[in-house]
Amino acid sequence: KAIIADNEILEPLKETRGVFWPLTPSMVIQHTANYNALAQTHSNYPFQAYQNSQVDQINIVGEYPVQNQQDAQHWVATVKFLRTVTKMFFGGEDATRGNPPPILKFNGYGNRVLKNIPVIVTNWTCELRSDVDYIATAQGSVPGRKNASRTINSEGETVVQIDNSSNIPETWAPALSTLTVQVQPVYSRDTVKEFSMRKFVNGELHNFGGKGDKEGIGF
């Protein structure tokens, strides 16, 4: 939440409180149970000794269409958000310096599939295609407003000047791109202690790990 607040580039993500795919993406969910094979003398079959279980990475792949300047602003904000949440807090003088990347909340497919899952983004890619059109936009402004003009600043950037009061760098978003994100569910020790197989089977832990964080940001 603090990442999005008071940020012109990420402003389009405020209403949705995070990133989403305009079209339903493909998703691969995997859970693993690990066993050790114990070889026995004069036996045709090894015994499987249970070791542990784990929730593996979730892979999300989806098309991201951009049809107008408002969509382009959201695309730019999405890319900026993903760049941000894969970096640690470094530099500056605030108390967050040295902290790892933030933990996000992942939601999808309703309460019984993915509900407020705490995740970290481990990898993301965005394919910028050469065979599609690109739409111009400017973060923190309303493209197309009257008295708007484009100029080149001293650094060679194309900027949008609105009402002779502000200069905002122009950005180009692809009309269609492929956005791939890998997220890893993470749970604190205190959260794991609350796990109960009986509650899990009965569906009482569908919000497991996400309790009390209604203001979380994520996907």
Side-chain angles (χ1 to χ4, degrees), residues 146-159:
K146 294 181 179 180
N147 302 323
S149 61
R150 290 184 173 87
T151 58
I152 305 296
N153 63 14
S154 59
E155 297 179 356
E157 294 179 321
T158 302
V159 299

Side-chain angles (χ1 to χ4, degrees), residues 33-69:
N34 298 309
Y35 291 83
N36 287 327
L38 302 179
Q40 302 294 315
T41 304
H42 296 291
S43 174
N44 290 322
Y45 305 99
F47 291 99
Q48 299 296 329
Y50 174 75
Q51 182 179 5
N52 57 17
S53 297
Q54 66 184 52
V55 180
D56 297 317
Q57 286 191 346
I58 301 174
N59 297 320
I60 314 159
V61 182
E63 302 288 348
Y64 202 111
V66 172
Q67 297 180 331
N68 50 50
Q69 291 175 327

Side-chain angles (χ1 to χ4, degrees), residues 79-119:
V79 171
K80 184 65 173 181
F81 181 86
L82 292 172
R83 284 176 169 177
T84 301
V85 299
T86 49
K87 293 176 174 59
M88 67 171 290
F89 292 83
F90 185 83
E93 300 297 334
D94 56 40
T96 61
R97 181 172 52 184
N99 285 354
I103 296 177
L104 311 177
K105 296 293 181 169
F106 185 37
N107 288 276
Y109 304 99
N111 291 335
R112 301 298 176 179
V113 182
L114 299 168
K115 176 66 173 179
N116 282 345
I117 305 298
V119 298

Side-chain angles (χ1 to χ4, degrees), residues 84-217:
T84 301
V85 299
T86 49
K87 293 176 174 59
M88 67 171 290
F89 292 83
F90 185 83
E93 300 297 334
D94 56 40
T96 61
R97 181 172 52 184
N99 285 354
I103 296 177
L104 311 177
K105 296 293 181 169
F106 185 37
N107 288 276
Y109 304 99
N111 291 335
R112 301 298 176 179
V113 182
L114 299 168
K115 176 66 173 179
N116 282 345
I117 305 298
V119 298
I120 51 176
V121 178
T122 59
N123 181 48
W124 71 275
T125 61
C126 182
E127 179 188 6
L128 300 177
R129 304 178 184 179
S130 60
D131 57 348
V132 300
D133 294 329
Y134 282 74
I135 299 175
T137 184
Q139 302 300 104
S141 69
V142 182
R145 280 179 53 178
K146 294 181 179 180
N147 302 323
S149 61
R150 290 184 173 87
T151 58
I152 305 296
N153 63 14
S154 59
E155 297 179 356
E157 294 179 321
T158 302
V159 299
V160 178
Q161 187 172 22
I162 298 176
D163 298 331
N164 299 320
S165 61
S166 62
N167 291 304
I168 303 172
E170 186 176 53
T171 307
W172 296 86
L176 185 65
S177 59
T178 301
L179 191 62
T180 303
V181 179
Q182 292 182 341
V183 298
Q184 175 63 58
V186 291
Y187 297 97
S188 67
R189 291 183 179 180
D190 290 340
T191 299
V192 172
K193 290 178 181 177
E194 297 178 9
F195 181 86
S196 164
M197 177 62 80
R198 185 178 299 277
K199 290 182 179 180
F200 181 82
V201 173
N202 292 336
E204 299 177 30
L205 298 180
H206 65 277
N207 197 22
F208 186 59
K211 297 185 296 184
D213 192 3
K214 296 181 180 180
E215 298 300 324
I217 60 174

